Amino acid sequence: MTSVVAQSHFIFGLRTGVSNNLCFFDEQTVVFPCGNSCVCFNTVQRCQRFIPGSEKSQGMRSLAISANRRYLAVSECGEKATITVFDLQHEQGRKRKVLTAGDMLVEEFVCMAFSPDSKYLIGQTGGPEWKLIFWLWEKQKVLATVKTGNSNNSVTQVSFNPYNNMQLCVSGTGVFKLFRYSEGALKQSSFPKVESINFLCHTWMTEERVIAGTDTGRLLVFESGDLRREINMAAKAVSTTTEAVLVSETLGSLQQFFYFLFFYNRDSPNVPRITAILSYSKGFACSLGSGIVCLFEKNEEDGYRRSKEIQIPPDPYSNELTPAESQEIDTMCISPAEETLAISTDRGQLYSFSLSSLEINKEEHIHFEFLLQPFHSKSITGLSVCIRKPLVATSSLDHSVRIWNYDTKVLELYKEFQEEAYSVALHPTGLFILVGFSDKLRLMNLLIDDIRTFKEFTVRGCRECAFSHGGHMFAAVNGNVIHIYSVTYFENILNLKGHNGKVRGIEWSLDDSRLVSCGMDGAVYEWNTQTGKRESESVLKSCSYTDVAFSSDCKTILAVGTDLTLKEIQDCQVLREVPGDEVAHTAVAVSHSGRVVFTGTSSGTIRAIKYPLPLQKEWIMYQAHCGPITKMVITFDDQFLFTVSEDGCLLMWKVIDKDGRELKSSRQIIHTEEILVTKSDLEEKTQNMLELKMRLEELQMENEYQLRLKDMSYNEKMKELSDKFTQQIESLKTTQQIMKTEMEKQEREHQKSSAELTVKNSKEMKDLEVSYSQKLIVEHERYQDLQQKNQRMQEDYEKQLKDAEERKVQSLQELTQLYEAKLQEKTQLLEAQQQIREFKEIIKQVEEDEERKIHDIQIKYEKKLHTEKEINTNLKGETGLMTQKFYSLQRQIDDRCTDINKLKQERQRLLGLIRSLESDIEDLKRQISGHEKTNQDKDKTISGLKKKNQELEKLKFVLDFQLNELKKQTEPQQDDITEKKERIHQLEEELVQIDHSNTQLKLAVSDLRLKLRTRDKEMHKEMQKVKDLETHLQRLKSDLHNCVGFIQDPRKLKDSVQTIYARYVPQTDGVSDIQRAFGRHRDHLERTVNSLKTRLAKSAEEHEKVYVKIMKENVSLITEINELRKELRLVRTQVKDYKVQLATFKKSNKSLWDWPEPTLVQKTKTLPTGLNGSSGGNTGGYSPADLVLKCMYTYWGELDASRN
């Protein structure tokens, strides 16, 4: 046995495929399966406790926790399926009981549940039996079994009614049944027609109500096992589908209604599955499709309202192929205090959400948070550690590479890629990582928040890669070839060829001078990394090697493969071989101290074998993973062992000796804290820092300025308040003196009134005492009489009871004697019957004559028996009569007892009356004292109210004064507002003018640009002309130079001069004149256009000015018109008044004047037209009122003249 032991320390991962794979042990601890064990994780202390599975287990199938949170049930597959119950309150999870199905051959238990009192346990077996087993688990006793499903109707969940230990619910595909345990059997209590519905989950809401979720996204409510309604998931309220209800009325049966409900919603596209449902005090929570949990709260109408929606957040590091929010929720659980909701998903992730923050959080989108860390969801293919940092790198078939910190137990970095990651290797410094993909091998930088590629190598499908211990080289495997690259130059130094099959494992020696490799061809080669030659080899074609490692001194090689043995190889020979059992080794790791060798197996277990290797099967085996172990690594200080498996879990083991102490390593490794950061990121961060500093300084300045302003304002307010309070104090002192005088007066009055009341109360008390004492005497006498009667009745009843008992004893003695006599007779008859049977046997041997005689004897005895039976029946009737008499006597006795009890009750009632009367007296006394107290309290309240009234009057005075001040303050502000409005109006007019000028300037700029373009074109043309002229000059010079050569020959000279003249002197044509004329005409047109534009701008400005003047005149005219209309209305009212006055005047002076009435009307009609409402009247410069008066005077003058 080894002196070094591995102890499970921490695990990263979640085992999927286990039903109910997450539950709360307490408010801070969750339990979930991982590898081949259950993990108790404390979310606050971030520590784990392990409950290992059984050795012969083929995998966990389901979990269940008891209602008191003490016991955990784990079902495991195997040759014979078992359920193990653990005690969670014990530190190491002590195993309590192991339950089996008895004589039945069961391969697995699909789901389980504890009863509410944690005494009973139910387990649902898988196919083909599909039986539900009911245990009294502490005694390992099977109480009942029942068949719940078949091959077509599988069961997915079982549960106890939380309000009843004896009622169960079973649901699945086409299955929804309620069972009740009674008389030693499970009996089905409901028979709903649900053959066509696939139930995925259910939960109990009340003692009778169960809500079930289906694969078509429906929530069905069952009451007492019968379908009652469906919860509408779309709306935020619970209702039955009205159309379905109408159809149910026409169909006339619940079965047809249920089928209609199913076919009504069956064809809806993209229906989300309800995979988990959970009830709690406020309502229930259920999963709605991928990554969404809906919370439903109870309604006043005994329904449920959809209140909140919690989603799995999108992962910024995940690729587009597998978004995090598309995960399906497997299990939901809630903490005992209902503060935290936790979920597990089909990709092996754990999330949580704080329900206590739900009321505070008013955001539309609420998201879950990771409960522990984001885990791998598929098989882990690569594992690597570095020297300078406490980091572990893993790669997986889920397209991700993750960097874990094993000191802090935190996921430092992770990134998802488009391709699957086959292998991974960390640089010894921990700053770089090498990852093998299907298309390329990529060397990446480990930045502060990203994994970024900076070099790619054309190594396809690299299943193995490793950095040298010095970090200056790395080896990568491509099929059966090993490539060695330089890290400094990124050049391929060597290609190691020799394997005939795929290379499965490589490892560098400590000095990086050698490399060992193993392959599927059964070969183990040791390579020289300087020359590329093989130094040693060991080939065993019958074995396919899976992993290889150097010993601690690098002198020997350790290899494992498919031949189930661990081999130690040295100098091309196998030195030692550790024989194995039925399980193959898949990985090997050697401690740097050389004391122990760890191997991983295909069953997921780990073996610790001492070194030097033993010859026999001596090792310590640990339960680790639920799948074959793919990689295992020991840290360089021999403190930790890391193992990964196809189950997607990373398990961290602490390597200690048998005494529990850490191993002492010769190497002292100091972990560094350097991090790679790119220049661009640094610049961005520094820029952000500078901006934030600037912003901070600005905010500080603003805050200081505001603080100063506030100090100033507060000081002013303090002065004002101090002045106000001094005034108030003086006024309060005066009021206090007034109140004191009033209080003294009131006290005198109250003393007088209280003295009068005390006298009255004393008189009333005396009267009441006299009356109640008389009543008490009368009641006491009645009570004594009743007591005497009661005693007499008791004596009589006792005598009667004694007589009845004596009679009963005598009758019983007589009956016993009679029945004893009859019993003797019957015994004799029975003996006779036995003799008859003996005679029958003899009769068979005798002749026919004797048979006749025996027949006659039989007839005689049958008659006798008949008579005896009749006598027996008569006796039974007599005994029945006697029993009836006995029962009647007993009833009489019971009646007498009831009478006695009634008398006792009357006595107690009378005693109660006496007590109540006494209590009434005491209450009256208390009331009198209470009245006195209330009088005093009322006096106090009156004085308090008066004080409050005075204070309110003072407040009113203060508030009125403040209102006046505020009005005075607001008046100048309103003047400022009007001035500012006028200023705004002026600025708006200026803006309009500026816009017009801008548009004109834009037009001018566009014209100038056009001119510039034309001038540029002309310049280019002129430049081209200059160039052409220069070329002409050069040609002319050359021709002249040639012509000078003919000076001696005048004819040739003449000819050459003529040719030069003809060539270089242009012939005058009319084209140039036309072009000049065209240019002049264009210049003239441009000038006219510019002059017209300036005129247009000036005219536009003049028009705008005229328009503004007209608008102003219009406004003034409109105001004048409105004023004139107002004056007209006033004049009309005055005319009406004058008419009324004239009418009254006319009536009063009818005796003096006999002028007819129409004359006044005519005079009023001859008023100017402007007074009758028309605008065209000529008033002659008088106001309407003056004109009316003038008319009146003229009218009266005419009247006087006519009278004279």
Side-chain angles (χ1 to χ4, degrees):
M1 301 296 285
T2 64
S3 60
V4 179
V5 178
Q7 185 180 3
S8 52
H9 186 62
F10 209 85
I11 195 162
F12 298 97
L14 174 69
R15 185 169 180 176
T16 55
V18 179
S19 66
N20 194 27
N21 61 355
L22 181 64
C23 48
F24 272 94
F25 168 52
D26 56 30
E27 201 64 33
Q28 300 171 352
T29 309
V30 290
V31 182
F32 57 89
C34 188
N36 199 30
S37 56
C38 288
V39 181
C40 298
F41 173 63
N42 190 308
T43 55
V44 177
Q45 298 175 358
R46 298 192 69 79
C47 61
Q48 291 182 348
R49 182 161 59 94
F50 294 86
I51 301 169
S54 59
E55 292 181 3
K56 294 182 180 179
S57 169
Q58 295 178 6
M60 291 183 199
R61 191 67 182 84
S62 67
L63 296 183
I65 195 163
S66 61
N68 59 6
R69 311 275 176 179
R70 181 173 178 179
Y71 303 110
L72 177 73
V74 181
S75 77
E76 294 175 309
C77 305
E79 293 178 1
K80 195 169 185 181
T82 59
I83 295 174
T84 310
V85 181
F86 295 95
D87 188 353
L88 292 177
Q89 290 183 357
H90 195 268
E91 287 184 3
Q92 296 177 352
R94 185 165 61 90
K95 191 183 290 185
R96 288 295 299 266
K97 299 291 178 185
V98 179
L99 307 176
T100 60
D103 297 331
M104 288 187 290
L105 289 171
V106 176
E107 293 180 0
E108 62 176 356
F109 288 98
V110 177
C111 47
M112 303 175 295
F114 277 97
S115 63
D117 59 358
S118 307
K119 288 183 180 179
Y120 304 103
L121 180 73
I122 52 172
Q124 176 64 53
T125 66
E129 289 86 3
W130 295 104
K131 286 193 175 181
L132 182 68
I133 303 172
F134 189 84
W135 283 283
L136 182 64
W137 67 268
E138 286 186 342
K139 294 183 179 179
Q140 296 176 319
K141 185 180 179 182
V142 177
L143 298 178
T145 59
V146 67
K147 191 174 178 66
T148 55
N150 52 44
S151 58
N152 294 323
N153 299 323
S154 59
V155 176
T156 54
Q157 187 182 353
V158 294
S159 66
F160 271 97
N161 186 339
Y163 307 96
N164 188 353
N165 280 341
M166 300 293 114
Q167 194 172 13
L168 324 170
C169 181
V170 178
S171 66
T173 53
V175 177
F176 188 87
K177 298 176 182 178
L178 293 182
F179 291 94
R180 191 178 291 277
Y181 178 72
S182 62
E183 298 176 358
L186 287 168
K187 297 176 182 178
Q188 190 172 348
S189 59
S190 66
F191 300 90
K193 300 291 182 180
V194 292
E195 289 82 5
S196 55
I197 293 183
N198 182 9
F199 293 99
L200 300 179
C201 54
H202 70 264
T203 186
W204 291 86
M205 298 304 296
T206 62
E207 193 172 356
E208 300 293 333
R209 182 180 297 168
V210 182
I211 296 178
T214 69
D215 61 344
T216 55
R218 296 165 62 203
L219 282 172
L220 303 177
V221 182
F222 291 85
E223 298 276 354
S224 302
D226 297 325
L227 181 66
R228 296 295 181 191
R229 62 180 184 271
E230 181 178 353
I231 295 173
N232 190 359
M233 296 294 288
K236 291 199 174 183
V238 173
S239 64
T240 55
T241 50
T242 53
E243 293 179 18
V245 171
L246 291 168
V247 172
S248 69
E249 290 174 2
T250 57
L251 293 173
S253 71
L254 187 64
Q255 182 181 355
Q256 290 170 331
F257 164 54
F258 187 79
Y259 278 116
F260 176 78
L261 268 176
F262 174 66
F263 289 113
Y264 182 77
N265 290 325
R266 187 183 63 179
D267 297 326
S268 57
N270 300 320
V271 176
R273 286 155 46 94
I274 299 172
T275 53
I277 189 168
L278 177 72
S279 63
Y280 65 108
S281 59
K282 292 182 180 179
F284 68 92
C286 71
S287 65
L288 182 63
S290 55
I292 298 172
V293 172
C294 294
L295 298 180
F296 287 82
E297 290 182 357
K298 289 178 184 175
N299 247 345
E300 295 177 357
E301 301 171 355
D302 197 23
Y304 300 95
R305 178 178 60 84
R306 184 169 167 180
S307 60
K308 290 283 183 182
E309 195 175 277
I310 313 168
Q311 298 177 356
I312 293 173
D315 192 351
Y317 298 104
S318 67
N319 55 21
E320 296 176 358
L321 299 172
T322 57
E325 56 269 27
S326 65
Q327 299 179 79
E328 196 170 72
I329 295 163
D330 280 347
T331 306
M332 284 195 296
C333 64
I334 197 164
S335 62
E338 295 187 354
E339 289 200 359
T340 309
L341 176 71
I343 61 167
S344 66
T345 67
D346 59 344
R347 290 189 204 160
Q349 305 298 328
L350 295 175
Y351 295 93
S352 67
F353 180 77
S354 176
L355 292 173
S356 57
S357 65
L358 195 64
E359 295 176 358
I360 303 164
N361 196 346
K362 294 182 179 179
E363 295 178 4
E364 290 184 4
H365 301 290
I366 306 169
H367 295 293
F368 283 100
E369 294 176 352
F370 279 108
L371 184 66
L372 180 56
Q373 300 290 339
F375 304 134
H376 283 293
S377 59
K378 289 184 181 178
S379 173
I380 299 175
T381 55
L383 176 69
S384 179
V385 293
C386 64
I387 301 170
R388 305 304 299 169
K389 289 187 178 184
L391 299 179
V392 182
T394 55
S395 62
S396 172
L397 296 178
D398 62 1
H399 304 268
S400 72
V401 174
R402 296 170 195 256
I403 311 297
W404 313 83
N405 190 317
Y406 58 81
D407 271 357
T408 58
K409 301 171 185 65
V410 171
L411 180 67
E412 293 274 342
L413 284 172
Y414 80 99
K415 191 172 184 179
E416 289 193 9
F417 300 90
Q418 297 295 324
E419 302 89 11
E420 293 177 344
Y422 294 137
S423 59
V424 70
L426 267 176
H427 195 267
T429 59
L431 298 173
F432 312 105
I433 190 169
L434 195 66
V435 185
F437 295 98
S438 57
D439 56 347
K440 286 180 184 179
L441 177 71
R442 292 181 175 90
L443 185 62
M444 304 182 184
N445 283 327
L446 293 180
L447 303 177
I448 190 169
D449 56 356
D450 194 13
I451 302 171
R452 201 171 293 172
T453 306
F454 74 95
K455 183 64 180 175
E456 292 182 347
F457 303 94
T458 57
V459 180
R460 293 191 176 183
C462 179
R463 299 276 176 177
E464 296 291 333
C465 61
F467 276 102
S468 62
H469 290 90
H472 60 291
M473 292 186 290
F474 68 83
V477 173
N478 183 9
N480 57 358
V481 181
I482 303 166
H483 303 281
I484 295 177
Y485 284 86
S486 169
V487 176
T488 52
Y489 301 109
F490 306 121
E491 293 177 354
N492 189 358
I493 301 167
L494 292 172
N495 291 322
L496 307 179
K497 297 178 181 179
H499 284 281
N500 294 324
K502 289 183 179 179
V503 177
R504 295 291 299 275
I506 56 172
E507 187 173 351
W508 291 83
S509 63
L510 287 172
D511 58 357
D512 295 334
S513 62
R514 289 176 294 159
L515 180 79
V516 67
S517 64
C518 69
M520 295 178 72
D521 55 354
V524 176
Y525 295 141
E526 188 178 356
W527 308 86
N528 189 320
T529 56
Q530 302 297 323
T531 60
K533 293 180 181 179
R534 275 185 286 186
E535 290 190 351
S536 68
E537 61 181 33
S538 174
V539 180
L540 186 65
K541 292 184 178 180
S542 61
C543 175
S544 176
Y545 287 107
T546 54
D547 201 6
V548 69
F550 272 112
S551 61
S552 59
D553 55 2
C554 295
K555 290 181 180 178
T556 59
I557 300 164
L558 295 161
V560 292
T562 55
D563 61 349
L564 314 180
T565 60
L566 170 64
K567 296 181 180 66
E568 187 176 9
I569 303 166
Q570 186 178 11
D571 298 332
C572 306
Q573 292 181 355
V574 177
L575 279 181
R576 293 182 191 85
E577 192 172 319
V578 180
D581 50 11
E582 297 176 355
V583 182
H585 298 281
T586 55
V588 65
V590 183
S591 67
H592 296 89
S593 62
R595 294 171 63 186
V596 68
V597 177
F598 292 102
T599 62
T601 65
S602 59
S603 63
T605 57
I606 290 170
R607 293 172 181 175
I609 306 166
K610 71 176 181 179
Y611 190 81
L613 297 177
L615 297 172
Q616 297 177 352
K617 298 179 182 179
E618 291 182 8
W619 57 66
I620 300 172
M621 192 163 68
Y622 305 100
Q623 296 295 319
H625 297 275
C626 60
I629 291 171
T630 53
K631 297 286 177 186
M632 57 197 309
V633 174
I634 297 176
T635 57
F636 287 89
D637 55 359
D638 280 348
Q639 295 298 312
F640 297 103
L641 167 72
F642 296 97
T643 59
V644 294
S645 169
E646 289 182 5
D647 61 2
C649 298
L650 168 63
L651 188 51
M652 182 178 169
W653 304 79
K654 199 166 188 178
V655 182
I656 54 175
D657 58 13
K658 282 194 173 181
D659 298 328
R661 292 174 295 186
E662 293 182 356
L663 294 179
K664 292 181 181 179
S665 62
S666 58
R667 303 173 185 175
Q668 286 187 353
I669 296 170
I670 299 167
H671 291 145
T672 58
E673 294 182 354
E674 289 84 4
I675 294 169
L676 281 181
V677 181
T678 59
K679 190 178 179 182
S680 59
D681 291 341
L682 256 179
E683 286 172 353
E684 282 179 10
K685 284 177 182 177
T686 51
Q687 187 67 30
N688 289 330
M689 287 283 285
L690 287 168
E691 288 175 0
L692 288 166
K693 280 180 182 177
M694 292 286 287
R695 181 65 180 154
L696 210 154
E697 288 172 359
E698 288 174 3
L699 286 167
Q700 283 178 348
M701 293 286 286
E702 285 177 5
N703 285 325
E704 286 174 0
Y705 178 67
Q706 286 175 359
L707 282 167
R708 285 173 188 168
L709 288 172
K710 283 179 181 178
D711 289 332
M712 295 284 285
S713 63
Y714 284 134
N715 288 324
E716 289 174 359
K717 285 179 182 177
M718 285 284 284
K719 287 177 183 177
E720 291 174 1
L721 287 167
S722 61
D723 296 333
K724 286 179 184 177
F725 282 126
T726 51
Q727 291 174 1
Q728 287 177 1
I729 287 160
E730 290 173 356
S731 63
L732 284 166
K733 282 178 181 177
T734 54
T735 53
Q736 192 178 3
Q737 290 175 356
I738 296 160
M739 289 291 290
K740 278 182 181 178
T741 54
E742 288 179 356
M743 281 287 288
E744 287 172 358
K745 288 179 183 177
Q746 286 178 358
E747 279 178 0
R748 290 168 190 168
E749 290 174 359
H750 283 302
Q751 283 175 0
K752 289 178 183 177
S753 62
S754 61
E756 291 173 359
L757 284 167
T758 49
V759 171
K760 285 180 183 178
N761 285 325
S762 61
K763 287 179 182 178
E764 287 176 358
M765 282 286 291
K766 285 176 183 178
D767 295 334
L768 285 166
E769 281 177 358
V770 170
S771 62
Y772 279 119
S773 61
Q774 290 174 359
K775 286 179 181 178
L776 274 169
I777 291 159
V778 172
E779 291 294 332
H780 187 67
E781 289 174 355
R782 282 178 67 194
Y783 174 67
Q784 286 179 349
D785 294 335
L786 286 165
Q787 265 189 342
Q788 289 174 1
K789 286 179 183 178
N790 193 6
Q791 285 177 358
R792 289 170 192 167
M793 291 286 285
Q794 278 182 350
E795 289 173 359
D796 294 335
Y797 281 126
E798 284 174 358
K799 286 178 184 179
Q800 288 176 5
L801 279 166
K802 284 178 183 177
D803 295 335
E805 283 179 356
E806 289 174 357
R807 289 170 191 167
K808 183 183 173 183
V809 170
Q810 288 176 1
S811 62
L812 279 167
Q813 287 177 355
E814 290 172 0
L815 283 166
T816 50
Q817 288 174 1
L818 284 167
Y819 280 115
E820 282 175 357
K822 287 176 182 177
L823 275 166
Q824 286 177 359
E825 289 176 0
K826 284 182 179 180
T827 50
Q828 289 174 2
L829 283 167
L830 285 166
E831 288 174 358
Q833 283 178 355
Q834 287 177 357
Q835 288 175 1
I836 288 161
R837 286 171 189 165
E838 290 173 358
F839 282 123
K840 281 180 182 178
E841 290 176 358
I842 297 162
I843 286 160
K844 286 178 184 177
Q845 298 173 0
V846 183
E847 295 177 352
E848 293 177 357
D849 296 333
E850 289 177 354
E851 285 178 358
R852 290 174 187 170
K853 290 177 182 178
I854 290 161
H855 185 66
D856 296 332
I857 292 160
Q858 280 179 352
I859 290 161
K860 286 178 184 179
Y861 279 112
E862 282 175 359
K863 286 177 181 178
K864 284 180 180 179
L865 278 166
H866 186 67
T867 53
E868 288 294 331
K869 283 179 181 177
E870 286 177 353
I871 293 161
N872 198 359
T873 51
N874 293 324
L875 287 167
K876 283 181 181 177
E878 288 175 1
T879 52
L881 291 167
M882 290 298 287
T883 52
Q884 284 176 0
K885 285 178 183 179
F886 177 72
Y887 285 132
S888 65
L889 285 167
Q890 274 186 344
R891 283 171 192 164
Q892 288 175 3
I893 291 158
D894 292 333
D895 293 335
R896 295 291 167 83
C897 289
T898 51
D899 293 335
I900 291 159
N901 289 326
K902 284 177 182 177
L903 288 166
K904 284 179 181 178
Q905 285 173 1
E906 283 178 0
R907 182 189 170 192
Q908 287 175 357
R909 187 174 61 77
L910 290 166
L911 286 167
L913 270 170
I914 292 157
R915 287 171 188 161
S916 64
L917 290 166
E918 288 173 355
S919 63
D920 288 336
I921 293 159
E922 289 175 359
D923 289 334
L924 287 164
K925 287 178 181 178
R926 286 172 192 160
Q927 283 176 6
I928 291 157
S929 61
H931 283 305
E932 290 174 356
K933 288 178 184 176
T934 50
N935 286 327
Q936 292 173 1
D937 294 333
K938 283 177 181 177
D939 295 334
K940 288 177 184 176
T941 50
I942 288 157
S943 62
L945 287 165
K946 284 180 179 177
K947 286 178 183 176
K948 284 180 183 176
N949 195 2
Q950 289 172 359
E951 287 173 0
L952 287 166
E953 284 175 355
K954 289 172 188 174
L955 277 169
K956 186 184 176 185
F957 177 73
V958 171
L959 290 167
D960 291 333
F961 181 70
Q962 287 178 353
L963 268 170
N964 294 322
E965 284 185 347
L966 286 167
K967 283 176 181 177
K968 288 175 185 176
Q969 288 174 2
T970 52
E971 283 173 1
Q973 287 177 357
Q974 286 178 353
D975 297 333
D976 292 334
I977 288 159
T978 52
E979 287 176 2
K980 284 174 181 177
K981 281 181 178 177
E982 289 173 359
R983 179 65 180 157
I984 288 159
H985 186 67
Q986 289 173 3
L987 289 167
E988 283 176 352
E989 288 177 354
E990 287 176 4
L991 269 170
V992 171
Q993 292 175 1
I994 289 159
D995 287 331
H996 285 298
S997 63
N998 280 330
T999 51
Q1000 288 170 5
L1001 287 167
K1002 283 177 183 177
L1003 289 166
V1005 166
S1006 62
D1007 293 335
L1008 289 167
R1009 280 176 182 167
L1010 287 167
K1011 284 180 181 178
L1012 270 169
R1013 285 173 188 169
T1014 52
R1015 293 289 166 84
D1016 286 333
K1017 287 177 182 178
E1018 287 174 358
M1019 270 186 69
H1020 283 300
K1021 286 177 182 177
E1022 291 295 327
M1023 291 286 285
Q1024 191 67 34
K1025 285 178 183 178
V1026 169
K1027 285 179 182 178
D1028 293 339
L1029 288 168
E1030 284 176 355
T1031 51
H1032 276 290
L1033 268 170
Q1034 286 175 358
R1035 287 175 187 170
L1036 197 144
K1037 284 176 183 179
S1038 62
D1039 289 337
L1040 283 170
H1041 184 71
N1042 293 326
C1043 187
V1044 170
F1046 299 112
I1047 290 170
Q1048 302 271 331
D1049 193 353
R1051 282 185 183 177
K1052 287 181 180 178
L1053 186 71
K1054 185 183 177 182
D1055 294 332
S1056 62
V1057 168
Q1058 284 177 353
T1059 54
I1060 287 164
Y1061 179 80
R1063 189 182 293 169
Y1064 295 106
V1065 176
Q1067 295 177 2
T1068 57
D1069 293 326
V1071 178
S1072 60
D1073 297 331
I1074 292 161
Q1075 286 177 351
R1076 287 170 193 162
F1078 179 73
R1080 287 182 203 128
H1081 187 62
R1082 190 179 66 186
D1083 292 333
H1084 176 69
L1085 287 169
E1086 284 176 354
R1087 286 183 201 127
T1088 52
V1089 165
N1090 289 325
S1091 63
L1092 286 167
K1093 282 180 180 177
T1094 52
R1095 284 179 192 172
L1096 202 147
K1098 287 177 182 177
S1099 63
E1101 286 176 359
E1102 289 172 359
H1103 279 298
E1104 281 178 359
K1105 288 175 183 176
V1106 171
Y1107 178 72
V1108 170
K1109 284 179 183 177
I1110 290 162
M1111 286 295 288
K1112 286 178 181 177
E1113 287 173 0
N1114 281 331
V1115 169
S1116 62
L1117 286 167
I1118 287 161
T1119 52
E1120 286 177 4
I1121 288 160
N1122 290 325
E1123 287 173 358
L1124 285 167
R1125 281 176 180 169
K1126 286 176 184 177
E1127 287 177 0
L1128 260 173
R1129 285 171 191 159
L1130 288 167
V1131 168
R1132 282 176 182 170
T1133 52
Q1134 287 174 0
V1135 167
K1136 284 179 183 177
D1137 294 334
Y1138 289 139
K1139 282 180 181 180
V1140 171
Q1141 288 174 5
L1142 281 168
T1144 53
F1145 185 75
K1146 186 179 171 185
K1147 285 177 184 177
S1148 61
N1149 297 324
K1150 220 170 192 183
S1151 60
L1152 296 171
W1153 301 325
D1154 295 322
W1155 284 93
E1157 189 178 350
T1159 56
L1160 181 64
V1161 177
Q1162 286 171 3
K1163 289 287 180 183
T1164 54
K1165 283 179 182 177
T1166 58
L1167 283 169
T1169 55
L1171 292 173
N1172 291 325
S1174 61
S1175 61
N1178 186 8
T1179 57
Y1182 295 104
S1183 66
D1186 294 334
L1187 289 167
V1188 169
L1189 287 167
K1190 193 175 181 181
C1191 291
M1192 293 293 288
Y1193 288 137
T1194 53
Y1195 179 67
W1196 286 333
E1198 287 175 0
L1199 279 172
D1200 292 332
S1202 62
R1203 288 296 178 188
N1204 291 327

